[in-house]
Amino acid sequence: MAKQIITPCLWIENDAKKAAEYYLSVFKDGKLKSHKAFKNQPEAGGEFDTATIHILGMDFQLLAAGPMFKFNEAVSFVVHCKDQAEVDYYWEALTADGGSEGPCGWLKDRYGLSWQIVPEQYFKLESNKDKAKQEYAFKAVMKMKKIIIADLEEK
């Protein structure tokens, strides 16, 4: 397996370890790689902590260093799901306890990070040679919050 060269760093307001535990509870295959608390660091603006987690084959760093920066939709993650059960699982887990639903398979988790939860079936339809199937799937998704696979194809 190739070494990961770029690691996304997710700046949250506080408690990197708690955030790490949250993401590890959602992405069951993950693990906590490290956690470090920096106390009494006046040159760095005070106290903060970091954690590195490994989920879905990728490392993420969490930096809990205060409220200066907030997530917005300019940076988001897409989760490719194999079936409706997986879509339902991630949708429920990521919107629980303070998350919020958005349109077209988009949601925000409790930290305000945006995710799009998309079944592989949608990507197959989106690239189908039959333009009518592409258009139907696209129009169907535009009307949904959580994507429902059964509603992506004409009946």
Side-chain angles (χ1 to χ4, degrees), residues 7-10 23 27 55-56 58-60 71-80 94 105-107 109 113-118:
T7 301
C9 180
L10 307 176
Y23 288 116
F27 299 98
I55 56 175
L56 299 175
M58 189 171 174
D59 287 350
F60 291 84
F71 291 124
N72 66 46
E73 292 79 4
V75 173
S76 58
F77 297 101
V78 177
V79 179
H80 296 243
L94 290 166
W106 289 98
L107 61 84
D109 68 25
L113 184 59
S114 292
W115 301 83
Q116 189 181 34
I117 309 302
V118 186

Side-chain angles (χ1 to χ4, degrees), residues 12-22 35 48-51 62-66 111:
I12 58 172
E13 191 167 336
N14 56 46
D15 204 340
K17 188 154 191 195
K18 184 177 178 183
E21 290 167 353
Y22 165 70
H35 173 257
F48 63 98
D49 68 328
T50 64
L62 302 166
L63 170 64
Y111 293 99

Side-chain angles (χ1 to χ4, degrees), residues 84-150:
Q84 190 67 50
E86 201 168 76
V87 169
D88 294 346
Y89 168 77
Y90 285 118
W91 190 266
E92 298 306 317
L94 290 166
T95 58
D97 300 321
S100 62
E101 297 182 346
C104 306
W106 289 98
L107 61 84
K108 288 185 181 183
D109 68 25
R110 69 171 70 165
Y111 293 99
L113 184 59
S114 292
W115 301 83
Q116 189 181 34
I117 309 302
V118 186
E120 289 294 334
Q121 182 63 21
Y122 176 72
F123 294 114
K124 289 176 185 173
L125 288 166
E126 181 183 57
S127 61
N128 194 296
K129 291 179 183 178
D130 183 337
K131 297 292 183 199
K133 287 184 178 185
Q134 288 179 17
E135 187 174 324
Y136 186 88
F138 176 78
K139 286 181 178 178
V141 165
M142 295 302 289
K143 296 175 187 173
M144 297 181 196
K145 287 190 177 201
K146 177 175 72 172
I147 297 175
I148 307 299
I149 295 172

